[in-house]
Amino acid sequence: MLEVKNIELSHGKLQVLWDISLTVGEGECVGLLGANGAGKSSTMGALMGIYPLQSGSITFLGKSITEFEVNELIMLGIALVPEGRKLFTQMTVEENLMMGAYIKGKRASIDAGLESVYSLFPILKEKRLQMAGQLSGGQQQMVTIGRALMSKPKMLLLDEPFIGVAPKLVIEIMQALREINQGGVSMILVEQNVHRALEFVTRAYVIENGRNVLEGDAKLILSDEHFQEKFLGIH
Ligand SMILES: Nc1ncnc2c1ncn2[C@@H]1O[C@H](COP(=O)(O)OP(=O)(O)OP(=O)(O)O)[C@@H](O)[C@H]1O
Ligand SMILES: [Mg+2]
């Protein structure tokens, strides 16, 4: 479904991705792991068309999307839940959700989108007219996920969606993400808590300094010695 081949990317003069490749199958949920600064968010930004590539290629549903811009990618069915949420805190929950409804003017489809977000996260319906900034961290994260769902994505890119979320809500949000995935939406999950990530995904990639260092199914990664030493502090 998604095929990323040997991508390179720089922020100004600083090269951050040197050679990243990954694939995601139809309906698959894949993890992207790595230390701070490894290039996880840069990879997500590249997939969303936020940062242009220096080299390499990206194919989605058989189509080359290497040069596509954000709005075209949203239309094709890719949506990003960005690191740090990026909500409009002075706007209501519902206004924030509407920002994600890409096809403007089709009121019926926007309403259906809102209803499906509210059935996934009922608390957001209760708080739909409150300013997003008044919600708890976890509830704000629900808004961010809901906003991404408003464009009816086929693939959801989740960049550390559990940061600043209370443990109880982490479980609730994970269940919702599972439901979304079982509904056929493929996912890439960037997550700091590697145990949590590897419980959730079936397969993962580990990157270091903008390069792939390890990939495979979740169990295999957990048993890798280099990975244990680096990420789990086991020597
Ligand atoms: N917009 C930007 N402009 C300049 N440098 C950036 C920008 N975004 C990221 N960087 C740098 O690129 C490198 C990779 O950052 P990136 O955010 O992709 O890593 P990450 O794996 O997501 O890290 P984290 O776990 O901290 O979120 C880092 O050295 C970072 O400082
Ligand atoms: Mg990041």
Side-chain angles (χ1 to χ4, degrees):
M1 178 178 205
L2 178 78
E3 192 165 3
V4 176
K5 271 193 192 155
N6 312 105
I7 59 172
E8 282 188 70
L9 184 153
S10 295
H11 295 301
K13 285 189 182 147
L14 178 70
Q15 181 156 2
V16 295
L17 301 185
W18 294 84
D19 189 6
I20 295 285
S21 298
L22 58 91
T23 61
V24 182
E26 198 87 39
E28 208 183 6
C29 182
V30 166
L32 181 62
L33 310 175
N36 288 343
K40 305 179 298 292
S41 297
S42 298
T43 303
M44 300 295 249
L47 293 178
M48 198 67 246
I50 296 167
Y51 308 125
L53 299 183
Q54 250 163 289
S55 66
S57 66
I58 309 176
T59 315
F60 182 64
L61 297 172
K63 193 182 229 161
S64 169
I65 58 162
T66 313
E67 313 263 310
F68 277 34
E69 296 187 358
V70 179
N71 57 341
E72 298 172 290
L73 294 168
I74 293 173
M75 302 256 257
L76 267 184
I78 303 180
L80 173 66
V81 173
E83 191 173 30
R85 301 197 271 270
K86 315 247 168 14
L87 286 179
F88 296 94
T89 52
Q90 300 298 323
M91 287 167 60
T92 67
V93 166
E94 189 152 293
E95 283 164 346
N96 270 282
L97 291 175
M98 306 263 294
M99 303 289 288
Y102 201 70
I103 308 148
K104 303 278 181 223
K106 294 199 175 161
R107 188 66 226 190
S109 114
I110 293 174
D111 285 346
L114 284 173
E115 275 319 308
S116 80
V117 171
Y118 291 148
S119 79
L120 195 63
F121 299 120
I123 186 72
L124 298 188
K125 186 164 193 173
E126 269 172 52
K127 305 211 169 206
R128 53 187 274 270
L129 300 178
Q130 282 191 28
M131 295 301 147
Q134 293 173 341
L135 271 58
S136 74
Q139 291 164 351
Q140 290 192 25
Q141 194 59 61
M142 291 173 179
V143 178
T144 318
I145 294 168
R147 179 181 61 189
L149 293 175
M150 289 293 287
S151 61
K152 305 203 167 53
K154 299 184 180 82
M155 172 162 294
L156 200 52
L157 310 174
L158 297 147
D159 196 347
E160 311 220 22
F162 304 117
I163 286 200
V165 178
K168 212 177 126 202
L169 287 191
V170 168
I171 294 169
E172 202 178 317
I173 292 173
M174 277 183 109
Q175 278 166 352
L177 291 176
R178 242 317 152 236
E179 239 178 83
I180 296 164
N181 181 232
Q182 281 161 358
V185 178
S186 310
M187 293 180 177
I188 300 180
L189 175 69
V190 171
E191 172 57 43
Q192 275 197 343
N193 182 328
V194 296
H195 279 293
R196 183 151 72 202
L198 292 171
E199 245 170 63
F200 189 77
V201 304
T202 45
R203 208 158 58 76
Y205 294 84
V206 182
I207 65 172
E208 243 176 72
N209 300 321
R211 291 185 174 87
N212 291 70
V213 290
L214 183 65
E215 67 182 86
D217 74 46
K219 282 195 202 86
L220 190 139
I221 286 181
L222 270 176
S223 65
D224 182 87
E225 273 181 30
H226 175 72
F227 181 81
Q228 289 183 347
E229 193 176 317
K230 188 121 189 152
F231 294 94
L232 307 175
I234 300 169
H235 296 276

